[in-house]
Amino acid sequence: MEDCLFCKFVKGEIPVNKVFENEDFIVIRDINPQCANHFLAIPKTHYKYLGEMTETESKTLARILSTIPELKNELSLEGGYRLVINQGDDAGQTVPHLHIHVLSGEKMGWNPAGRE
Ligand code: AMP
Ligand code: ZN
């Protein structure tokens, strides 16, 4: 997908510090962290919504989800962690390439919808 920031990270067209990479996905640090540690797990193929996934992509996402807990040290997951996938405008999705926010490293409140 041309003009997709995350595709450019995946392809190496824009250099980015990768915390982890395998054949399925890369992990980078979020530029605007919302937690002590805030990573983005980015599948290597481009799609915006869970509902658009091909069967292969959904198997890949399942592998990604089971790999994340293996990255205990790299992502500082010891004390617990939270995964977030924003989908569409109401959720505040700003990058149209599906990604999983991985938040860790501190005790979190519960206000994912932004309520005070
Ligand atoms: P979302 O709002 O769920 O689409 O998440 C997009 C995330 O990408 C936001 O948390 C941004 O802070 C993050 N982001 C945008 N540009 C960059 C960048 N150049 N490097 C790292 N993270 C970025
Ligand atoms: Zn993309």
Side-chain angles (χ1 to χ4, degrees), residues 30-111:
D30 197 292
I31 203 171
N32 181 23
Q34 302 298 313
C35 195
N37 299 303
H38 186 169
F39 302 96
L40 300 172
I42 305 174
K44 289 191 167 178
T45 59
H46 180 96
Y47 56 97
K48 181 174 181 182
Y49 294 123
L50 292 165
E52 292 174 350
M53 283 188 297
T54 63
E55 208 178 318
T56 303
E57 285 164 342
S58 82
K59 283 182 184 150
T60 301
L61 185 62
R63 276 201 304 275
I64 292 171
L65 289 172
S66 56
T67 301
I68 286 172
E70 293 171 4
L71 304 175
K72 203 166 60 228
N73 297 329
E74 294 88 334
L75 306 186
S76 306
L77 305 179
E78 298 80 11
Y81 60 98
R82 178 173 292 163
L83 305 182
V84 174
I85 301 178
N86 290 324
Q87 294 281 268
D89 291 342
D90 280 359
Q93 183 176 10
T94 56
V95 178
H97 179 130
L98 189 125
H99 50 281
I100 305 157
H101 295 260
V102 183
L103 303 155
S104 69
E106 67 180 68
K107 208 85 177 159
M108 293 169 230
W110 178 244
N111 62 344

Side-chain angles (χ1 to χ4, degrees), residues 1 4-8 45-47 96-97:
M1 175 81 176
C4 170
L5 179 67
F6 287 179
C7 280
K8 287 181 178 162
T45 59
H46 180 96
Y47 56 97
H97 179 130

